[in-house]
PDB file of all heavy atoms in Angstrom:
ATOM      1  N   ILE A   1       7.437  15.213   8.434  1.00 98.00           N
ATOM      2  CA  ILE A   1       6.556  14.080   8.681  1.00 98.00           C
ATOM      3  C   ILE A   1       6.697  13.666  10.139  1.00 98.00           C
ATOM      4  O   ILE A   1       7.797  13.390  10.611  1.00 98.00           O
ATOM      5  CB  ILE A   1       6.888  12.897   7.756  1.00 98.00           C
ATOM      6  CG1 ILE A   1       6.626  13.267   6.292  1.00 98.00           C
ATOM      7  CG2 ILE A   1       6.072  11.662   8.141  1.00 98.00           C
ATOM      8  CD1 ILE A   1       7.060  12.190   5.296  1.00 98.00           C
ATOM      9  N   VAL A   2       5.577  13.664  10.844  1.00 98.00           N
ATOM     10  CA  VAL A   2       5.547  13.215  12.234  1.00 98.00           C
ATOM     11  C   VAL A   2       4.749  11.922  12.277  1.00 98.00           C
ATOM     12  O   VAL A   2       3.629  11.859  11.780  1.00 98.00           O
ATOM     13  CB  VAL A   2       4.907  14.276  13.145  1.00 98.00           C
ATOM     14  CG1 VAL A   2       4.755  13.742  14.569  1.00 98.00           C
ATOM     15  CG2 VAL A   2       5.731  15.557  13.143  1.00 98.00           C
ATOM     16  N   VAL A   3       5.337  10.895  12.870  1.00 98.00           N
ATOM     17  CA  VAL A   3       4.687   9.589  12.991  1.00 98.00           C
ATOM     18  C   VAL A   3       4.317   9.394  14.455  1.00 98.00           C
ATOM     19  O   VAL A   3       5.189   9.251  15.308  1.00 98.00           O
ATOM     20  CB  VAL A   3       5.612   8.444  12.538  1.00 98.00           C
ATOM     21  CG1 VAL A   3       4.839   7.124  12.501  1.00 98.00           C
ATOM     22  CG2 VAL A   3       6.241   8.749  11.184  1.00 98.00           C
ATOM     23  N   ASP A   4       3.014   9.399  14.731  1.00 98.00           N
ATOM     24  CA  ASP A   4       2.562   9.239  16.109  1.00 98.00           C
ATOM     25  C   ASP A   4       2.237   7.766  16.349  1.00 98.00           C
ATOM     26  O   ASP A   4       1.422   7.185  15.642  1.00 98.00           O
ATOM     27  CB  ASP A   4       1.317  10.097  16.348  1.00 98.00           C
ATOM     28  CG  ASP A   4       1.078  10.378  17.822  1.00 98.00           C
ATOM     29  OD1 ASP A   4       0.856   9.398  18.569  1.00 98.00           O
ATOM     30  OD2 ASP A   4       1.106  11.549  18.231  1.00 98.00           O
ATOM     31  N   CYS A   5       2.893   7.159  17.337  1.00 98.00           N
ATOM     32  CA  CYS A   5       2.602   5.753  17.660  1.00 98.00           C
ATOM     33  C   CYS A   5       2.136   5.601  19.102  1.00 98.00           C
ATOM     34  O   CYS A   5       2.209   4.521  19.690  1.00 98.00           O
ATOM     35  CB  CYS A   5       3.811   4.860  17.377  1.00 98.00           C
ATOM     36  SG  CYS A   5       5.165   4.992  18.537  1.00 98.00           S
ATOM     37  N   VAL A   6       1.633   6.695  19.664  1.00 98.00           N
ATOM     38  CA  VAL A   6       1.238   6.710  21.068  1.00 98.00           C
ATOM     39  C   VAL A   6      -0.138   6.059  21.235  1.00 98.00           C
ATOM     40  O   VAL A   6      -1.064   6.336  20.475  1.00 98.00           O
ATOM     41  CB  VAL A   6       1.238   8.151  21.607  1.00 98.00           C
ATOM     42  CG1 VAL A   6       0.704   8.199  23.027  1.00 98.00           C
ATOM     43  CG2 VAL A   6       2.649   8.725  21.540  1.00 98.00           C
ATOM     44  N   ASN A   7      -0.251   5.209  22.232  1.00 97.00           N
ATOM     45  CA  ASN A   7      -1.502   4.516  22.541  1.00 97.00           C
ATOM     46  C   ASN A   7      -2.047   5.033  23.871  1.00 97.00           C
ATOM     47  O   ASN A   7      -1.466   4.742  24.926  1.00 97.00           O
ATOM     48  CB  ASN A   7      -1.273   3.003  22.651  1.00 97.00           C
ATOM     49  CG  ASN A   7      -0.772   2.405  21.353  1.00 97.00           C
ATOM     50  OD1 ASN A   7      -1.367   2.582  20.305  1.00 97.00           O
ATOM     51  ND2 ASN A   7       0.341   1.681  21.429  1.00 97.00           N
ATOM     52  N   PRO A   8      -3.143   5.796  23.857  1.00 98.00           N
ATOM     53  CA  PRO A   8      -3.719   6.267  25.117  1.00 98.00           C
ATOM     54  C   PRO A   8      -4.449   5.120  25.831  1.00 98.00           C
ATOM     55  O   PRO A   8      -5.596   4.811  25.527  1.00 98.00           O
ATOM     56  CB  PRO A   8      -4.700   7.359  24.679  1.00 98.00           C
ATOM     57  CG  PRO A   8      -4.346   7.677  23.259  1.00 98.00           C
ATOM     58  CD  PRO A   8      -3.824   6.404  22.694  1.00 98.00           C
ATOM     59  N   LEU A   9      -3.764   4.501  26.765  1.00 97.00           N
ATOM     60  CA  LEU A   9      -4.309   3.338  27.456  1.00 97.00           C
ATOM     61  C   LEU A   9      -4.281   3.542  28.960  1.00 97.00           C
ATOM     62  O   LEU A   9      -3.410   4.227  29.497  1.00 97.00           O
ATOM     63  CB  LEU A   9      -3.496   2.077  27.116  1.00 97.00           C
ATOM     64  CG  LEU A   9      -3.439   1.624  25.659  1.00 97.00           C
ATOM     65  CD1 LEU A   9      -2.557   0.401  25.536  1.00 97.00           C
ATOM     66  CD2 LEU A   9      -4.835   1.335  25.127  1.00 97.00           C
ATOM     67  N   GLY A  10      -5.243   2.909  29.619  1.00 97.00           N
ATOM     68  CA  GLY A  10      -5.230   2.814  31.066  1.00 97.00           C
ATOM     69  C   GLY A  10      -5.119   1.353  31.475  1.00 97.00           C
ATOM     70  O   GLY A  10      -5.350   0.449  30.662  1.00 97.00           O
ATOM     71  N   PHE A  11      -4.755   1.127  32.722  1.00 96.00           N
ATOM     72  CA  PHE A  11      -4.614  -0.237  33.235  1.00 96.00           C
ATOM     73  C   PHE A  11      -5.238  -0.300  34.628  1.00 96.00           C
ATOM     74  O   PHE A  11      -5.029   0.588  35.455  1.00 96.00           O
ATOM     75  CB  PHE A  11      -3.139  -0.651  33.317  1.00 96.00           C
ATOM     76  CG  PHE A  11      -2.451  -0.720  31.980  1.00 96.00           C
ATOM     77  CD1 PHE A  11      -1.901   0.421  31.405  1.00 96.00           C
ATOM     78  CD2 PHE A  11      -2.378  -1.921  31.283  1.00 96.00           C
ATOM     79  CE1 PHE A  11      -1.275   0.360  30.167  1.00 96.00           C
ATOM     80  CE2 PHE A  11      -1.754  -1.984  30.043  1.00 96.00           C
ATOM     81  CZ  PHE A  11      -1.204  -0.843  29.489  1.00 96.00           C
ATOM     82  N   ASP A  12      -6.032  -1.343  34.852  1.00 97.00           N
ATOM     83  CA  ASP A  12      -6.564  -1.596  36.182  1.00 97.00           C
ATOM     84  C   ASP A  12      -6.524  -3.101  36.438  1.00 97.00           C
ATOM     85  O   ASP A  12      -5.883  -3.835  35.674  1.00 97.00           O
ATOM     86  CB  ASP A  12      -7.972  -1.002  36.339  1.00 97.00           C
ATOM     87  CG  ASP A  12      -8.987  -1.597  35.369  1.00 97.00           C
ATOM     88  OD1 ASP A  12      -8.730  -2.688  34.794  1.00 97.00           O
ATOM     89  OD2 ASP A  12     -10.061  -0.987  35.175  1.00 97.00           O
ATOM     90  N   LYS A  13      -7.180  -3.559  37.471  1.00 96.00           N
ATOM     91  CA  LYS A  13      -7.102  -4.980  37.808  1.00 96.00           C
ATOM     92  C   LYS A  13      -7.721  -5.875  36.744  1.00 96.00           C
ATOM     93  O   LYS A  13      -7.463  -7.080  36.726  1.00 96.00           O
ATOM     94  CB  LYS A  13      -7.760  -5.234  39.168  1.00 96.00           C
ATOM     95  CG  LYS A  13      -9.240  -4.898  39.225  1.00 96.00           C
ATOM     96  CD  LYS A  13      -9.781  -5.111  40.631  1.00 96.00           C
ATOM     97  CE  LYS A  13     -11.262  -4.766  40.718  1.00 96.00           C
ATOM     98  NZ  LYS A  13     -11.792  -4.955  42.087  1.00 96.00           N
ATOM     99  N   LYS A  14      -8.541  -5.316  35.861  1.00 95.00           N
ATOM    100  CA  LYS A  14      -9.111  -6.095  34.763  1.00 95.00           C
ATOM    101  C   LYS A  14      -8.213  -6.093  33.520  1.00 95.00           C
ATOM    102  O   LYS A  14      -8.506  -6.790  32.552  1.00 95.00           O
ATOM    103  CB  LYS A  14     -10.490  -5.547  34.387  1.00 95.00           C
ATOM    104  CG  LYS A  14     -11.541  -5.731  35.461  1.00 95.00           C
ATOM    105  CD  LYS A  14     -12.892  -5.218  34.980  1.00 95.00           C
ATOM    106  CE  LYS A  14     -13.967  -5.418  36.039  1.00 95.00           C
ATOM    107  NZ  LYS A  14     -15.286  -4.925  35.564  1.00 95.00           N
ATOM    108  N   GLY A  15      -7.154  -5.286  33.538  1.00 93.00           N
ATOM    109  CA  GLY A  15      -6.240  -5.263  32.407  1.00 93.00           C
ATOM    110  C   GLY A  15      -6.259  -3.937  31.669  1.00 93.00           C
ATOM    111  O   GLY A  15      -6.723  -2.916  32.195  1.00 93.00           O
ATOM    112  N   PRO A  16      -5.769  -3.929  30.425  1.00 95.00           N
ATOM    113  CA  PRO A  16      -5.663  -2.689  29.664  1.00 95.00           C
ATOM    114  C   PRO A  16      -7.003  -2.269  29.064  1.00 95.00           C
ATOM    115  O   PRO A  16      -7.856  -3.098  28.749  1.00 95.00           O
ATOM    116  CB  PRO A  16      -4.670  -3.054  28.556  1.00 95.00           C
ATOM    117  CG  PRO A  16      -4.881  -4.524  28.346  1.00 95.00           C
ATOM    118  CD  PRO A  16      -5.208  -5.092  29.697  1.00 95.00           C
ATOM    119  N   PHE A  17      -7.156  -0.947  28.908  1.00 97.00           N
ATOM    120  CA  PHE A  17      -8.358  -0.428  28.246  1.00 97.00           C
ATOM    121  C   PHE A  17      -8.032   0.909  27.600  1.00 97.00           C
ATOM    122  O   PHE A  17      -7.103   1.615  28.014  1.00 97.00           O
ATOM    123  CB  PHE A  17      -9.511  -0.269  29.248  1.00 97.00           C
ATOM    124  CG  PHE A  17      -9.225   0.692  30.382  1.00 97.00           C
ATOM    125  CD1 PHE A  17      -9.653   2.010  30.329  1.00 97.00           C
ATOM    126  CD2 PHE A  17      -8.526   0.267  31.518  1.00 97.00           C
ATOM    127  CE1 PHE A  17      -9.395   2.884  31.371  1.00 97.00           C
ATOM    128  CE2 PHE A  17      -8.256   1.138  32.556  1.00 97.00           C
ATOM    129  CZ  PHE A  17      -8.698   2.460  32.485  1.00 97.00           C
ATOM    130  N   ALA A  18      -8.792   1.262  26.546  1.00 97.00           N
ATOM    131  CA  ALA A  18      -8.561   2.504  25.824  1.00 97.00           C
ATOM    132  C   ALA A  18      -9.104   3.693  26.606  1.00 97.00           C
ATOM    133  O   ALA A  18     -10.193   3.629  27.180  1.00 97.00           O
ATOM    134  CB  ALA A  18      -9.222   2.437  24.455  1.00 97.00           C
ATOM    135  N   LEU A  19      -8.347   4.781  26.636  1.00 98.00           N
ATOM    136  CA  LEU A  19      -8.773   5.997  27.299  1.00 98.00           C
ATOM    137  C   LEU A  19      -9.477   6.929  26.306  1.00 98.00           C
ATOM    138  O   LEU A  19      -9.100   6.972  25.131  1.00 98.00           O
ATOM    139  CB  LEU A  19      -7.564   6.730  27.882  1.00 98.00           C
ATOM    140  CG  LEU A  19      -6.791   6.015  28.988  1.00 98.00           C
ATOM    141  CD1 LEU A  19      -5.530   6.799  29.337  1.00 98.00           C
ATOM    142  CD2 LEU A  19      -7.663   5.830  30.231  1.00 98.00           C
ATOM    143  N   PRO A  20     -10.463   7.671  26.756  1.00 97.00           N
ATOM    144  CA  PRO A  20     -11.086   8.656  25.866  1.00 97.00           C
ATOM    145  C   PRO A  20     -10.131   9.816  25.602  1.00 97.00           C
ATOM    146  O   PRO A  20      -9.409  10.255  26.508  1.00 97.00           O
ATOM    147  CB  PRO A  20     -12.320   9.113  26.653  1.00 97.00           C
ATOM    148  CG  PRO A  20     -11.972   8.857  28.089  1.00 97.00           C
ATOM    149  CD  PRO A  20     -11.088   7.636  28.089  1.00 97.00           C
ATOM    150  N   VAL A  21     -10.119  10.299  24.371  1.00 98.00           N
ATOM    151  CA  VAL A  21      -9.282  11.431  23.983  1.00 98.00           C
ATOM    152  C   VAL A  21     -10.190  12.504  23.380  1.00 98.00           C
ATOM    153  O   VAL A  21     -10.905  12.224  22.417  1.00 98.00           O
ATOM    154  CB  VAL A  21      -8.216  11.000  22.948  1.00 98.00           C
ATOM    155  CG1 VAL A  21      -7.355  12.193  22.543  1.00 98.00           C
ATOM    156  CG2 VAL A  21      -7.347   9.877  23.501  1.00 98.00           C
ATOM    157  N   PRO A  22     -10.200  13.703  23.931  1.00 98.00           N
ATOM    158  CA  PRO A  22     -11.124  14.732  23.435  1.00 98.00           C
ATOM    159  C   PRO A  22     -11.019  14.985  21.930  1.00 98.00           C
ATOM    160  O   PRO A  22     -12.034  15.198  21.261  1.00 98.00           O
ATOM    161  CB  PRO A  22     -10.723  15.973  24.241  1.00 98.00           C
ATOM    162  CG  PRO A  22     -10.131  15.433  25.505  1.00 98.00           C
ATOM    163  CD  PRO A  22      -9.438  14.165  25.109  1.00 98.00           C
ATOM    164  N   GLU A  23      -9.797  14.927  21.397  1.00 98.00           N
ATOM    165  CA  GLU A  23      -9.609  15.178  19.962  1.00 98.00           C
ATOM    166  C   GLU A  23      -9.989  13.975  19.103  1.00 98.00           C
ATOM    167  O   GLU A  23     -10.020  14.076  17.873  1.00 98.00           O
ATOM    168  CB  GLU A  23      -8.155  15.563  19.680  1.00 98.00           C
ATOM    169  CG  GLU A  23      -7.706  16.857  20.337  1.00 98.00           C
ATOM    170  CD  GLU A  23      -7.212  16.664  21.778  1.00 98.00           C
ATOM    171  OE1 GLU A  23      -7.361  15.546  22.325  1.00 98.00           O
ATOM    172  OE2 GLU A  23      -6.676  17.620  22.344  1.00 98.00           O
ATOM    173  N   GLY A  24     -10.237  12.827  19.727  1.00 98.00           N
ATOM    174  CA  GLY A  24     -10.586  11.606  19.021  1.00 98.00           C
ATOM    175  C   GLY A  24      -9.520  10.542  19.129  1.00 98.00           C
ATOM    176  O   GLY A  24      -9.824   9.355  19.241  1.00 98.00           O
ATOM    177  N   SER A  25      -8.254  10.932  19.083  1.00 98.00           N
ATOM    178  CA  SER A  25      -7.134   9.991  19.178  1.00 98.00           C
ATOM    179  C   SER A  25      -5.869  10.776  19.470  1.00 98.00           C
ATOM    180  O   SER A  25      -5.832  12.012  19.334  1.00 98.00           O
ATOM    181  CB  SER A  25      -6.964   9.223  17.863  1.00 98.00           C
ATOM    182  OG  SER A  25      -6.604  10.100  16.804  1.00 98.00           O
ATOM    183  N   ALA A  26      -4.811  10.070  19.844  1.00 98.00           N
ATOM    184  CA  ALA A  26      -3.519  10.724  20.054  1.00 98.00           C
ATOM    185  C   ALA A  26      -3.038  11.373  18.762  1.00 98.00           C
ATOM    186  O   ALA A  26      -2.500  12.485  18.763  1.00 98.00           O
ATOM    187  CB  ALA A  26      -2.496   9.717  20.562  1.00 98.00           C
ATOM    188  N   ALA A  27      -3.228  10.680  17.637  1.00 98.00           N
ATOM    189  CA  ALA A  27      -2.772  11.215  16.352  1.00 98.00           C
ATOM    190  C   ALA A  27      -3.523  12.487  15.982  1.00 98.00           C
ATOM    191  O   ALA A  27      -2.929  13.442  15.457  1.00 98.00           O
ATOM    192  CB  ALA A  27      -2.941  10.160  15.268  1.00 98.00           C
ATOM    193  N   GLN A  28      -4.832  12.521  16.246  1.00 98.00           N
ATOM    194  CA  GLN A  28      -5.598  13.733  15.958  1.00 98.00           C
ATOM    195  C   GLN A  28      -5.219  14.867  16.899  1.00 98.00           C
ATOM    196  O   GLN A  28      -5.227  16.036  16.503  1.00 98.00           O
ATOM    197  CB  GLN A  28      -7.091  13.433  16.049  1.00 98.00           C
ATOM    198  CG  GLN A  28      -7.605  12.595  14.880  1.00 98.00           C
ATOM    199  CD  GLN A  28      -9.028  12.122  15.117  1.00 98.00           C
ATOM    200  OE1 GLN A  28      -9.272  11.286  15.979  1.00 98.00           O
ATOM    201  NE2 GLN A  28      -9.961  12.663  14.353  1.00 98.00           N
ATOM    202  N   GLN A  29      -4.862  14.528  18.127  1.00 98.00           N
ATOM    203  CA  GLN A  29      -4.339  15.548  19.032  1.00 98.00           C
ATOM    204  C   GLN A  29      -3.047  16.128  18.468  1.00 98.00           C
ATOM    205  O   GLN A  29      -2.844  17.351  18.461  1.00 98.00           O
ATOM    206  CB  GLN A  29      -4.090  14.960  20.421  1.00 98.00           C
ATOM    207  CG  GLN A  29      -3.623  15.982  21.437  1.00 98.00           C
ATOM    208  CD  GLN A  29      -3.292  15.357  22.775  1.00 98.00           C
ATOM    209  OE1 GLN A  29      -2.192  14.859  22.973  1.00 98.00           O
ATOM    210  NE2 GLN A  29      -4.254  15.372  23.692  1.00 98.00           N
ATOM    211  N   ALA A  30      -2.170  15.245  17.973  1.00 98.00           N
ATOM    212  CA  ALA A  30      -0.921  15.706  17.366  1.00 98.00           C
ATOM    213  C   ALA A  30      -1.197  16.608  16.172  1.00 98.00           C
ATOM    214  O   ALA A  30      -0.530  17.637  15.979  1.00 98.00           O
ATOM    215  CB  ALA A  30      -0.078  14.509  16.947  1.00 98.00           C
ATOM    216  N   GLU A  31      -2.176  16.235  15.360  1.00 98.00           N
ATOM    217  CA  GLU A  31      -2.521  17.032  14.183  1.00 98.00           C
ATOM    218  C   GLU A  31      -2.961  18.443  14.584  1.00 98.00           C
ATOM    219  O   GLU A  31      -2.600  19.425  13.929  1.00 98.00           O
ATOM    220  CB  GLU A  31      -3.624  16.332  13.409  1.00 98.00           C
ATOM    221  CG  GLU A  31      -4.040  17.044  12.124  1.00 98.00           C
ATOM    222  CD  GLU A  31      -5.180  16.318  11.443  1.00 98.00           C
ATOM    223  OE1 GLU A  31      -6.136  15.903  12.138  1.00 98.00           O
ATOM    224  OE2 GLU A  31      -5.125  16.180  10.211  1.00 98.00           O
ATOM    225  N   GLN A  32      -3.726  18.542  15.657  1.00 98.00           N
ATOM    226  CA  GLN A  32      -4.179  19.858  16.104  1.00 98.00           C
ATOM    227  C   GLN A  32      -3.041  20.680  16.693  1.00 98.00           C
ATOM    228  O   GLN A  32      -2.973  21.894  16.507  1.00 98.00           O
ATOM    229  CB  GLN A  32      -5.295  19.703  17.132  1.00 98.00           C
ATOM    230  CG  GLN A  32      -6.603  19.206  16.530  1.00 98.00           C
ATOM    231  CD  GLN A  32      -7.773  19.294  17.492  1.00 98.00           C
ATOM    232  OE1 GLN A  32      -7.745  20.069  18.451  1.00 98.00           O
ATOM    233  NE2 GLN A  32      -8.812  18.503  17.245  1.00 98.00           N
ATOM    234  N   LEU A  33      -2.142  20.025  17.387  1.00 98.00           N
ATOM    235  CA  LEU A  33      -1.020  20.732  18.012  1.00 98.00           C
ATOM    236  C   LEU A  33       0.063  21.113  17.010  1.00 98.00           C
ATOM    237  O   LEU A  33       0.835  22.041  17.264  1.00 98.00           O
ATOM    238  CB  LEU A  33      -0.411  19.857  19.109  1.00 98.00           C
ATOM    239  CG  LEU A  33      -1.279  19.597  20.332  1.00 98.00           C
ATOM    240  CD1 LEU A  33      -0.642  18.543  21.222  1.00 98.00           C
ATOM    241  CD2 LEU A  33      -1.513  20.887  21.112  1.00 98.00           C
ATOM    242  N   LEU A  34       0.123  20.388  15.894  1.00 98.00           N
ATOM    243  CA  LEU A  34       1.189  20.581  14.903  1.00 98.00           C
ATOM    244  C   LEU A  34       0.578  20.887  13.529  1.00 98.00           C
ATOM    245  O   LEU A  34       0.719  20.107  12.584  1.00 98.00           O
ATOM    246  CB  LEU A  34       2.063  19.330  14.816  1.00 98.00           C
ATOM    247  CG  LEU A  34       2.694  18.843  16.124  1.00 98.00           C
ATOM    248  CD1 LEU A  34       3.345  17.480  15.923  1.00 98.00           C
ATOM    249  CD2 LEU A  34       3.709  19.859  16.637  1.00 98.00           C
ATOM    250  N   PRO A  35      -0.083  22.036  13.377  1.00 98.00           N
ATOM    251  CA  PRO A  35      -0.780  22.322  12.123  1.00 98.00           C
ATOM    252  C   PRO A  35       0.141  22.478  10.915  1.00 98.00           C
ATOM    253  O   PRO A  35      -0.322  22.370   9.769  1.00 98.00           O
ATOM    254  CB  PRO A  35      -1.525  23.629  12.427  1.00 98.00           C
ATOM    255  CG  PRO A  35      -0.744  24.263  13.533  1.00 98.00           C
ATOM    256  CD  PRO A  35      -0.240  23.124  14.364  1.00 98.00           C
TER     257      PRO A  35
END
């Protein structure tokens, strides 16, 4: 069991924002990398 708690975020002068992830999310990226 792998528990992914990674948040793909960026930060600029306006504050935090979500980054685009090609796989859809960090967890889905993990799922593809760890079949």
